[in-house]
Coordinates of all heavy atoms in Angstrom, one line a residue:
I150 N 2.6 50.8 -8.9 CA 3.0 51.9 -7.9 C 4.4 52.4 -8.1 O 4.8 53.6 -8.3 CB 2.6 51.7 -6.5 CG1 1.1 51.7 -6.3 CG2 3.2 52.7 -5.5 CD1 0.6 51.3 -5.0
P151 N 5.4 51.4 -8.0 CA 6.8 51.7 -8.1 C 7.2 52.5 -9.4 O 7.7 53.5 -9.4 CB 7.6 50.4 -7.9 CG 6.7 49.6 -7.1 CD 5.3 49.9 -7.6
L153 N 5.2 54.0 -11.4 CA 4.4 55.3 -11.5 C 5.2 56.3 -10.6 O 5.3 57.5 -11.0 CB 3.0 55.1 -10.9 CG 1.9 54.7 -11.9 CD1 0.6 54.5 -11.2 CD2 1.8 55.6 -13.1
G154 N 5.7 55.9 -9.5 CA 6.5 56.9 -8.7 C 7.7 57.2 -9.4 O 8.1 58.5 -9.4
N155 N 8.4 56.3 -10.2 CA 9.6 56.7 -11.0 C 9.2 57.7 -12.0 O 10.0 58.6 -12.3 CB 10.2 55.4 -11.5 CG 10.8 54.6 -10.4 OD1 11.2 55.0 -9.4 ND2 10.9 53.2 -10.7
F157 N 6.8 59.9 -11.9 CA 6.5 61.1 -11.2 C 7.9 61.9 -11.0 O 8.0 63.1 -11.2 CB 5.8 60.9 -9.9 CG 5.1 62.1 -9.4 CD1 3.7 62.0 -9.0 CD2 5.8 63.3 -9.3 CE1 3.1 63.1 -8.4 CE2 5.1 64.4 -8.7 CZ 3.8 64.3 -8.3
I158 N 8.8 61.2 -10.5 CA 10.2 61.7 -10.2 C 10.9 62.1 -11.5 O 11.4 63.2 -11.5 CB 11.1 60.7 -9.5 CG1 10.5 60.5 -8.0 CG2 12.5 61.1 -9.3 CD1 11.1 59.3 -7.3
L161 N 9.2 65.3 -12.7 CA 9.6 66.4 -11.9 C 10.9 67.0 -12.3 O 11.1 68.2 -12.4 CB 9.8 66.0 -10.4 CG 10.2 67.0 -9.4 CD1 9.2 68.1 -9.3 CD2 10.4 66.4 -8.0
Y200 N 15.7 70.5 -6.0 CA 15.3 69.2 -6.7 C 15.6 68.0 -5.9 O 14.8 67.1 -6.0 CB 15.9 69.2 -8.2 CG 15.2 70.1 -9.2 CD1 15.9 71.3 -9.6 CD2 13.9 69.9 -9.6 CE1 15.3 72.1 -10.6 CE2 13.4 70.6 -10.6 CZ 14.0 71.8 -11.1 OH 13.4 72.6 -12.0
L201 N 16.8 67.9 -5.4 CA 17.2 66.7 -4.7 C 16.2 66.5 -3.5 O 15.8 65.3 -3.3 CB 18.6 66.9 -4.2 CG 19.1 65.7 -3.4 CD1 19.2 64.4 -4.2 CD2 20.5 66.0 -2.9
A202 N 15.9 67.6 -2.8 CA 15.0 67.4 -1.7 C 13.6 66.9 -2.1 O 13.1 66.0 -1.5 CB 14.8 68.7 -0.9
M203 N 13.1 67.4 -3.2 CA 11.8 66.9 -3.7 C 11.8 65.5 -4.2 O 10.9 64.7 -3.9 CB 11.3 67.9 -4.9 CG 10.9 69.2 -4.4 SD 10.2 70.2 -5.7 CE 11.6 70.5 -6.8
T204 N 12.9 65.1 -4.9 CA 12.9 63.7 -5.4 C 13.1 62.7 -4.2 O 12.6 61.6 -4.4 CB 14.1 63.6 -6.4 OG1 15.3 64.0 -5.8 CG2 13.9 64.4 -7.6
L205 N 13.8 63.1 -3.2 CA 14.1 62.2 -2.1 C 12.8 62.1 -1.4 O 12.4 61.0 -0.9 CB 15.2 62.8 -1.2 CG 16.6 62.7 -1.7 CD1 17.6 63.3 -0.7 CD2 17.0 61.2 -1.9
L206 N 12.0 63.1 -1.1 CA 10.7 63.0 -0.4 C 9.7 62.2 -1.2 O 9.0 61.3 -0.7 CB 10.2 64.4 -0.2 CG 10.8 65.3 0.9 CD1 10.3 66.7 0.9 CD2 10.6 64.6 2.3
L207 N 9.7 62.4 -2.6 CA 8.8 61.6 -3.4 C 9.2 60.1 -3.3 O 8.3 59.2 -3.3 CB 8.8 62.1 -4.8 CG 8.1 63.4 -5.1 CD1 8.3 63.8 -6.5 CD2 6.6 63.1 -5.0
S208 N 10.5 59.8 -3.3 CA 11.0 58.4 -3.2 C 10.5 57.8 -1.9 O 10.1 56.6 -2.0 CB 12.5 58.4 -3.4 OG 13.0 58.8 -4.7
R209 N 10.6 58.6 -0.9 CA 10.2 58.0 0.5 C 8.7 57.8 0.4 O 8.2 56.7 0.9 CB 10.6 58.9 1.6 CG 12.1 59.2 1.6 CD 12.9 58.0 2.1 NE 14.3 58.3 2.3 CZ 15.2 58.3 1.3 NH1 14.8 58.0 0.1 NH2 16.5 58.6 1.6
F210 N 7.9 58.6 -0.1 CA 6.5 58.5 -0.2 C 6.1 57.3 -1.0 O 5.2 56.5 -0.7 CB 5.9 59.7 -0.8 CG 4.4 59.7 -0.9 CD1 3.6 59.7 0.1 CD2 3.8 59.5 -2.2 CE1 2.2 59.6 0.0 CE2 2.4 59.4 -2.4 CZ 1.6 59.4 -1.2
V211 N 6.8 57.1 -2.2 CA 6.5 55.9 -3.0 C 6.8 54.6 -2.3 O 5.9 53.7 -2.4 CB 7.2 56.0 -4.3 CG1 7.1 54.7 -5.1 CG2 6.8 57.1 -5.1
N212 N 7.9 54.6 -1.6 CA 8.3 53.4 -0.8 C 7.3 53.1 0.3 O 6.9 52.0 0.5 CB 9.7 53.6 -0.3 CG 10.8 53.6 -1.3 OD1 10.6 53.1 -2.4 ND2 11.9 54.2 -1.0
Y213 N 6.8 54.2 0.9 CA 5.9 54.0 2.0 C 4.6 53.5 1.4 O 4.0 52.5 2.0 CB 5.7 55.4 2.7 CG 4.4 55.3 3.6 CD1 4.5 54.7 4.9 CD2 3.3 55.9 3.3 CE1 3.5 54.7 5.8 CE2 2.2 55.9 4.1 CZ 2.2 55.4 5.4 OH 1.2 55.4 6.2
T214 N 4.1 54.0 0.3 CA 2.8 53.5 -0.3 C 2.9 52.1 -0.7 O 2.0 51.3 -0.5 CB 2.5 54.5 -1.5 OG1 2.4 55.8 -1.1 CG2 1.2 54.1 -2.1
E215 N 4.1 51.8 -1.3 CA 4.3 50.5 -1.7 C 4.2 49.4 -0.6 O 3.6 48.4 -0.7 CB 5.6 50.3 -2.5 CG 5.9 48.9 -3.1 CD 7.2 48.8 -3.8 OE1 8.0 49.9 -3.8 OE2 7.6 47.8 -4.4
R216 N 4.8 49.9 0.6 CA 4.8 48.9 1.7 C 3.3 48.8 2.2 O 3.0 47.7 2.7 CB 5.7 49.5 2.8 CG 7.2 49.3 2.5 CD 8.0 49.6 3.8 NE 7.8 50.8 4.4 CZ 8.4 51.9 4.2 NH1 9.4 51.9 3.2 NH2 8.2 53.1 4.8
R217 N 2.6 49.9 2.3 CA 1.2 49.9 2.8 C 0.4 48.9 1.9 O -0.4 48.1 2.4 CB 0.6 51.3 2.7 CG 1.1 52.1 3.9 CD 0.6 51.6 5.2 NE -0.8 51.5 5.4 CZ -1.5 52.6 5.8 NH1 -1.0 53.7 6.1 NH2 -2.9 52.4 5.9
F218 N 0.5 49.0 0.6 CA -0.3 48.1 -0.3 C 0.2 46.6 -0.2 O -0.6 45.8 -0.2 CB -0.2 48.6 -1.8 CG -1.2 49.7 -2.1 CD1 -0.7 50.9 -2.3 CD2 -2.6 49.4 -2.2 CE1 -1.6 52.0 -2.6 CE2 -3.4 50.4 -2.5 CZ -3.0 51.6 -2.7

Side-chain angles (χ1 to χ4, degrees):
I150 287 175
L153 276 180
N155 291 335
F157 201 130
I158 293 169
L161 174 67
Y200 277 112
L201 179 62
M203 288 188 289
T204 55
L205 288 177
L206 286 173
L207 281 173
S208 296
R209 301 295 184 273
F210 176 73
V211 171
N212 291 337
Y213 170 76
T214 306
E215 186 180 2
R216 289 196 302 271
R217 285 294 300 272
F218 277 108

